[in-house]
Amino acid sequence: MKNAFLEYFGSKVRVCVKGKNIERFLKRLANKKIELYEIEYVKYDEINIIISKEAYEKVEEIKTIYELSITKVYGIERIKQILLKNKYIILAFCVGFVLLWILTHTTFEVEVIHTSKEMRNLLQEELSKNGITKWKPIKSYKQVQEIKTTIMEKYKDKIEWLEIENIGTKYIVRVEERILTEEKPNYPIQDIVAKKSAILLRIEGESGEIVKNINDYVKVGDTVISGNIKLNEEIKQQVSARGKIYGEVWYKSTVEYPLSYYEEQETGKKKNVYTYQFLNKRIELFQFHPFENKKIESKTIWKSNIFPISFTYEKQKEIKVIDETYNKEEAIQKATEVAIQKIKDRLSEKEEIIRVQQLKVEENERTIVLELFFAVLEDITDIKPIEPIVIE
C-alpha cells in the first residue's frame, strides 16, 4: 500500500524523444534499468515516454544524438506547478479565510437593553472590565456565565436578573433592576378635580366623598371626589381624596394625505452581516434568511490589490416598502386610520376612542385634507390641595 501511494504521488515526467532508430534508444534505457511507465509511439522517429523525475537525469546523460523535451509533469511536481501558478489566488483565499475566521470570532457590538441610562452605563463598564466589549474575542458560553455571576454578585442590591446572549458577533444584554420597597407616601389633604372639560363616564374612588354623578358635565377644576367629608353640609373630616376619573373629551383633527404614497418603514429587525464580493457578485455569508428589503451601512474589511475580491462588514436594517396609489375614498380611509392611530398612540390602557365623525373633506391635485371629530374616553384626573381646617 505504501509503495502504491508513493508511486501514485511520486514525481514523474512525460518526455518527448526524437531521433533515428528509436528502438535502439529504448534498448539503451532497458540496459540502464530505467523503468518506463508508459510508451506512446507518435511516428517512426518520435515517441512519448513517462519516467520518474530521477530517471530523467540518467536519460539526459545517455541521450547522445536524441532530442529530449519534457511535455508534462505528474505527481508532486504537478501539484507544485499548480500551486506556483495560482499562488496569488490561493494566498488571497487563505488570507480571506483567516480574516473571516477572525471576524466571526470578534465582538462588533454590545447592546444593553434597559430604560435607565445609568444602568446601561454601569453594565457597559462592568462588561468591558470582563472582556465583553467591541473588538475583543467572543467569549465561550462558560466564560459568559462566569462573568454574569460575577456581575450579579457585585451588584446584588441593584440587579434582580441578568441575561447575556451572544448572537453572531453581537452581545445582547437584558437586565431587570432590583426595586427596593419604599415607604408608603404620606398624601396631603386634597380633592380630585377635572383637568379637562368633559362628560363624566367613570369614577373610581379610593378615598374621599364623590360629589358628582356619571353623565354630569364638568369644567376644568371642578371637584369630583372631595377630601372634605360632610354631614348635613358640615365638614366632619378631612382626608386625602384618591381615585381616578374618566370623561368624554372632544377633539378636532385635520389630516392631509397624499393620493399616491411611497414610504420605507423600518421593521426594527437588524443584522450584522459579512459579505464576500467577487467582481460584481455579492454573497452574504452564513445568511439563510436574508432580508428582502433593507438599508445597509457597509465597511470594507479587506480588499485585494491584485484580484477583484473583497470582504465587507454590513449593518443591515429590514425595511417594509409601501408604494401605493389611492382614489378619493381610499385616501379618506387611510387618512382616517392615520388620525385614529395618532389619538390611540397617546391613550393609556383604560382610555379609548368612543366615536369618530367626518366633518369636512377637501380634495387637491395631489392630496386630500380631512377634518375629523373625535369623542374620547380619557383620564381627566387632577388634584387640588385643600386648606386644613380645625374640626371640632
Side-chain angles (χ1 to χ4, degrees), residues 116-315:
S116 168
K117 185 178 180 181
E118 182 182 351
M119 177 58 74
R120 292 198 303 270
N121 291 339
L122 172 68
L123 280 175
Q124 289 280 9
E125 184 179 343
E126 288 300 320
L127 291 168
S128 180
K129 287 178 182 177
N130 286 278
I132 297 181
T133 185
K134 257 187 173 185
W135 317 124
K136 291 293 182 70
I138 291 173
K139 303 287 185 183
S140 67
Y141 176 80
K142 184 179 178 182
Q143 289 173 317
V144 170
Q145 295 307 307
E146 289 173 353
I147 292 169
K148 171 184 165 182
T149 303
T150 301
I151 294 174
M152 289 192 67
E153 285 290 329
K154 187 175 179 179
Y155 295 98
K156 288 181 180 179
D157 59 331
K158 290 188 176 181
I159 298 176
E160 181 73 30
W161 172 82
L162 178 66
E163 183 61 39
I164 305 173
E165 184 180 6
N166 173 225
I167 301 176
T169 59
K170 178 180 179 179
Y171 283 102
I172 297 179
V173 183
R174 295 179 175 87
V175 61
E176 186 175 325
E177 193 171 0
R178 188 183 296 278
I179 300 174
L180 301 176
T181 305
E182 297 179 358
E183 292 184 7
K184 194 171 182 180
N186 184 21
Y187 291 98
I189 299 172
Q190 63 186 26
D191 284 343
I192 299 295
V193 300
K195 66 180 176 183
K196 293 183 180 181
S197 296
I199 294 176
L200 288 174
L201 296 181
R202 189 189 305 159
I203 302 172
E204 299 175 354
E206 295 179 27
S207 64
E209 183 178 349
I210 299 174
V211 295
K212 293 288 185 180
N213 298 313
I214 300 298
N215 294 324
D216 282 356
Y217 174 76
V218 291
K219 295 181 290 183
V220 177
D222 283 356
T223 299
V224 179
I225 305 175
S226 176
N228 291 323
I229 309 299
K230 294 181 180 180
L231 179 63
N232 298 325
E233 300 301 319
E234 184 181 349
I235 299 174
K236 296 295 183 180
Q237 185 183 0
Q238 285 189 312
V239 300
S240 175
R242 281 182 286 164
K244 291 283 186 181
I245 56 175
Y246 295 85
E248 181 181 317
V249 183
W250 308 281
Y251 298 99
K252 276 186 182 180
S253 176
T254 302
V255 181
E256 186 173 5
Y257 203 84
L259 295 171
S260 59
Y261 184 74
Y262 179 87
E263 184 183 3
E264 294 181 354
Q265 295 178 348
E266 293 186 9
T267 65
K269 294 182 179 179
K270 300 178 182 179
K271 282 184 181 179
N272 296 324
V273 177
Y274 295 99
T275 63
Y276 168 74
Q277 297 186 26
F278 180 74
L279 296 175
N280 294 326
K281 191 168 184 180
R282 174 181 167 279
I283 301 172
E284 293 187 3
L285 303 175
F286 315 117
Q287 292 300 310
F288 304 105
H289 302 286
F291 294 147
E292 183 177 353
N293 298 301
K294 56 205 167 195
K295 290 181 180 179
I296 297 175
E297 294 180 17
S298 63
K299 181 180 179 182
T300 301
I301 300 168
W302 177 82
K303 184 176 182 181
S304 172
N305 294 324
I306 301 172
F307 300 99
I309 300 172
S310 64
F311 285 96
T312 306
Y313 169 71
E314 295 182 349
K315 289 184 177 180

Side-chain angles (χ1 to χ4, degrees), residues 36 43 91 94 101 134 153 163 187 200 243 283 325 372:
L36 302 177
K43 48 189 179 179
L91 178 63
C94 288
W101 188 91
K134 257 187 173 185
E153 285 290 329
E163 183 61 39
Y187 291 98
L200 288 174
I283 301 172
T325 301
L372 296 170

Side-chain angles (χ1 to χ4, degrees), residues 23-35:
E23 294 297 330
R24 184 171 62 186
F25 178 77
L26 292 174
K27 286 179 182 178
R28 192 179 297 174
L29 295 181
N31 292 335
K32 292 290 185 180
K33 295 183 179 179
I34 295 174
E35 184 178 3

Side-chain angles (χ1 to χ4, degrees), residues 63-74:
K63 67 178 183 177
T64 62
I65 63 171
Y66 295 93
E67 182 184 339
L68 305 180
S69 60
I70 297 175
T71 58
K72 194 172 182 180
V73 295
Y74 301 91

